[in-house]
Amino acid sequence: MTEDTLDTLAAFNKLRLSSHERQTLYKELTQLLDALAPLSSADTSQTEPMIQVNPLGTVMREDTVIPMVSRAEILVNAPEHDQGYFLAPRVLE
Amino acid sequence: MHTLDALTLANQIRRRDLTAFEVAKHTLSRIDADTNNCFLYTTPETALVAAKRIDARLEQGDCPSPLAGVPIAIDDTILVRGDRCTAGSRMLDNFISPFNATVIDKILAAGLIPVGRTNTDEFGVCGSGDTCYHGITLNPLDSSNLAGAAAAAISSRLVPLALCADTLGAQRKFASQTGTIFLKPTYGKVSRFGLVPYISSAEQIGAAGATIGDTAALLNIIAGYDPKDGTGIPNSDLIPPEPSQDLRHLRIGIATDYWTTLGRTGTATLTETRERLTALGATLQDCPLPQQQTDILGMASMALQIIAAAEGCNNFSRYDGIKFGYRPQTYATLDDISINSRSESFGREVKKTILFGSFVLAQQQYEAYYLQALKIRRLIQQQLAQALQTYDCLLIPASTGQPYHKTNPEANARQCLTDTHYTAPATLAGYPAVAAPSPAVTQERCGIQFIAAPNNEQILFDIVNLSTTDSLIP
């Protein structure tokens, strides 16, 4: 990982790092990656990746609406809302 | 009354020697006087109303469960409708839960009384105990060190039970260091609906208590298939109420390699545990589970870090300051809101998780890190499954036993990675595990951990129930 990579990842994840954070995180992440080096020694050429631990396959359910939470209850947590909608800065001129 | 275990307390409430109301009031007053920062806040109004309601039902002979009337703490990553739920983060400092987690619906139906929310590492990330926005929680057995808040709350006799999420395994580690028990169920046995997500494919809500009987009773209440959780396993067996009288029917595999690396602490704990289990009739045999850095099990902690970061990175992407969460003071554009919200409110460990997760998921690194970690996960599950064909359960340490000092976060973060080595195998495999304090080695709390095959919580219950008779809680 280079410092440029870190900057790209931060921008991609909508994070602005202070110079101290950038310095510390870069150091910690490079140390972490060094510590993960033994992983490459494992022979996994014949092994399938395990995404879920239980053999459930794709779980489907009926495409029906089940009332659970009201619009008002959801909007309680919205920093800004108006007439039942979330408010955000204008994106189109 | 606060020194009673949960089942005894429930029994006294059921017999009307005590009322749920007076127990709740006593509990709340003790929490108010707590100096270890176990609780972020209490919910006295709803707790006392719920206690009165249970008292009225019990007066009519209507007892909804063996734990009716017992106070319980809820980890701050589990949603309770109408309550704040911060997940230990500034991002959610003002978040009000719009619905109950399924486990909350279940404990309310069973007549338990939620009294407040325990502190947590931010989103459960790291697990060292010092990444919470609301400050650290101290270990009541040694206030110069940190502890998980649920374990500390039980250890200091504030509550007899707690619900909390096992992410990287910190709940098991801190249980072993506070004289308490933590039971991590089989993945999918307990609904995660309403849990603030971090490692969706591995984390589980588990039961913390002062005795294994209490945690088993709680697990019986919260377990069961939930159609709202797509990862739930149907027909999950519960733990029968009658425990075994001895362990003659059990073969326990001692993962010797894990114990020898701990030196004197490991040897002393293992010797003492082995004597107790042998006296109870169990057959103990050394189980060759090599765990050096170049062994598959030695890579469990590394694989879990990668998977946790990858899933955490995705789960934390939902926080943008628009629909809910921290809204910055200054912004001009839509992007400003998200960037300022996330930059100002996430702690350093969460930012590190996001950046690392994003790195291992990037096209250039995907195969070397994320895909490799998923393959190692399968090999780890295969190794555990193979060992558990020979043995009914495996005995490994719960942690290194090294404490987390309250003024040394950098050393704690490193220590946390080392301790994850002991908890990661069960977490990655989705197998049930229970952590308990070392029976007699009170100064060296590496603790003991038993791992069983999926849905075999009964075995864990029998072993800990019979082998850890002495409480280490003052």
Side-chain angles (χ1 to χ4, degrees):
Chain A
M1 180 186 282
T2 64
E3 292 191 44
D4 284 347
T5 309
L6 183 67
D7 292 339
T8 305
L9 293 174
F12 179 71
N13 286 288
K14 297 192 187 296
L15 289 172
R16 186 180 48 249
L17 306 177
S18 68
S19 59
H20 175 68
E21 275 182 322
R22 183 174 180 272
Q23 198 178 358
T24 315
L25 286 169
Y26 178 68
K27 184 180 159 199
E28 291 180 4
L29 286 168
T30 48
Q31 284 173 347
L32 178 56
L33 289 168
D34 288 345
L36 296 175
L39 278 181
S40 60
S41 67
D43 180 6
T44 56
S45 53
Q46 303 300 315
T47 309
E48 287 295 311
M50 175 175 269
I51 292 166
Q52 56 172 345
V53 294
N54 295 324
L56 292 170
T58 303
V59 179
M60 308 289 279
R61 59 183 162 85
E62 292 297 317
D63 189 13
T64 52
V65 176
I66 303 167
M68 192 179 75
V69 183
S70 70
R71 178 179 288 235
E73 286 173 303
I74 292 293
L75 289 171
V76 162
N77 287 303
E80 282 187 89
H81 60 92
D82 185 34
Q83 298 179 51
Y85 293 92
F86 298 113
L87 271 191
R90 179 187 293 275
V91 290
L92 296 173
E93 293 301 326
Chain B
M1 69 181 82
H2 55 266
T3 58
L4 299 174
D5 63 73
L7 286 168
T8 307
L9 188 60
N11 197 29
Q12 294 203 6
I13 294 170
R14 195 161 51 246
R15 290 200 322 247
R16 312 310 292 150
D17 297 339
L18 292 167
T19 66
F21 184 79
E22 63 186 321
V23 171
K25 275 200 85 165
H26 180 70
T27 301
L28 289 162
S29 70
R30 282 182 54 77
I31 293 171
D32 283 345
D34 171 47
T35 55
N36 292 320
N37 196 31
C38 296
F39 280 79
L40 299 179
Y41 57 92
T42 55
T43 49
E45 294 82 8
T46 50
L48 294 175
V49 167
K52 277 186 177 173
R53 199 176 298 133
I54 283 298
D55 280 331
R57 286 179 66 177
L58 291 171
E59 287 293 338
Q60 302 298 315
D62 174 18
C63 180
S65 84
L67 291 174
V70 172
I72 185 169
I74 310 296
D75 184 75
D76 204 37
T77 56
I78 300 171
L79 302 190
V80 180
R81 186 177 180 181
D83 281 0
R84 264 175 83 200
C85 181
T86 74
S89 179
R90 188 184 190 193
M91 175 60 84
L92 294 177
D93 202 28
N94 296 312
F95 182 77
I96 304 296
S97 307
F99 54 84
N100 278 339
T102 297
V103 290
I104 298 300
D105 282 335
K106 284 175 177 272
I107 63 163
L108 291 175
L112 281 116
I113 315 293
V115 289
R117 313 305 293 266
T118 44
N119 200 2
T120 176
D121 271 306
E122 187 173 6
F123 294 109
V125 167
C126 190
S128 62
D130 48 14
T131 70
C132 179
Y133 173 60
H134 308 282
I136 56 175
T137 297
L138 301 178
N139 187 334
L141 299 185
D142 182 351
S143 61
S144 61
N145 295 324
L146 306 180
I154 291 162
S155 185
S156 48
R157 303 278 192 194
L158 299 179
V159 283
L161 286 170
L163 278 180
C164 42
D166 187 289
T167 54
L168 297 168
Q171 308 296 350
R172 278 171 276 160
K173 167 181 72 192
F174 284 128
S176 71
Q177 297 188 359
T178 54
T180 61
I181 307 278
F182 185 80
L183 183 56
K184 180 193 101 65
T186 306
Y187 182 82
K189 195 181 189 91
V190 173
S191 171
R192 289 183 301 108
F193 180 78
L195 171 68
V196 178
Y198 165 32
I199 322 170
S200 304
S201 77
E203 63 199 357
Q204 268 287 264
I205 296 174
T211 71
I212 186 71
D214 288 354
T215 57
L218 181 56
L219 179 61
N220 272 347
I221 288 168
I222 60 173
Y225 179 68
D226 175 16
K228 292 180 200 157
D229 180 355
T231 58
I233 40 177
N235 307 318
S236 295
D237 292 335
L238 299 183
I239 298 174
E242 291 304 319
S244 296
Q245 297 304 306
D246 60 49
L247 302 179
R248 289 179 200 286
H249 57 297
L250 292 183
R251 294 183 74 187
I252 300 172
I254 299 173
T256 323
D257 201 28
Y258 279 91
W259 291 97
T260 50
T261 53
L262 290 181
R264 197 170 57 85
T265 305
T267 308
T269 304
L270 179 58
T271 303
E272 216 282 337
T273 306
R274 189 197 291 264
E275 284 171 7
R276 286 197 179 213
L277 295 171
T278 305
L280 289 161
T283 303
L284 279 81
Q285 291 178 336
D286 289 342
C287 174
L289 283 175
Q291 46 87 54
Q292 303 303 313
Q293 270 203 340
T294 50
D295 300 317
I296 288 299
L297 280 169
M299 297 176 190
S301 173
M302 304 177 211
L304 181 55
Q305 284 174 64
I306 291 169
I307 293 167
E311 294 186 19
C313 164
N314 278 318
N315 276 321
F316 301 152
S317 67
R318 77 190 64 199
Y319 302 110
D320 58 9
I322 306 284
K323 301 178 287 299
F324 60 91
Y326 175 82
R327 176 64 67 99
Q329 294 288 316
T330 56
Y331 56 87
T333 67
L334 192 63
D335 252 8
D336 283 350
I337 292 183
S338 295
I339 293 168
N340 293 352
S341 172
R342 293 165 65 83
S343 304
E344 292 171 21
S345 70
F346 282 148
R348 196 166 60 93
E349 283 298 326
V350 171
K351 288 177 183 171
K352 188 163 95 178
T353 298
I354 292 170
L355 294 168
F356 181 50
S358 186
F359 179 78
V360 299
L361 288 171
Q363 191 179 16
Q364 300 89 332
Q365 281 76 234
Y366 181 84
E367 278 197 30
Y369 291 100
Y370 182 62
L371 204 61
Q372 180 75 342
L374 292 179
K375 290 179 175 181
I376 287 170
R377 179 184 210 173
R378 183 175 297 282
L379 293 174
I380 286 168
Q381 195 191 58
Q382 285 172 353
Q383 282 206 1
L384 291 184
Q386 191 176 5
L388 287 165
Q389 283 179 353
T390 307
Y391 304 104
D392 295 296
C393 73
L394 303 171
L395 170 61
I396 72 169
S399 72
T400 57
Q402 294 299 311
Y404 288 72
H405 198 271
K406 65 181 178 185
T407 57
N408 202 345
E410 287 182 10
N412 289 342
R414 287 195 298 275
Q415 180 60 34
C416 200
L417 294 181
T418 311
D419 279 329
T420 304
H421 176 66
Y422 300 93
T423 53
T427 303
L428 283 171
Y431 284 11
V434 64
S438 316
V441 194
T442 53
Q443 297 304 310
E444 297 164 335
R445 304 188 190 101
C446 70
I448 51 180
Q449 181 181 196
F450 296 96
I451 301 171
N455 282 315
N456 277 335
E457 281 84 355
Q458 168 70 40
I459 290 171
L460 304 177
F461 171 55
D462 281 340
I463 290 175
V464 179
N465 185 44
L466 290 168
S467 64
T468 59
T469 50
D470 307 325
S471 172
L472 290 182
I473 305 176

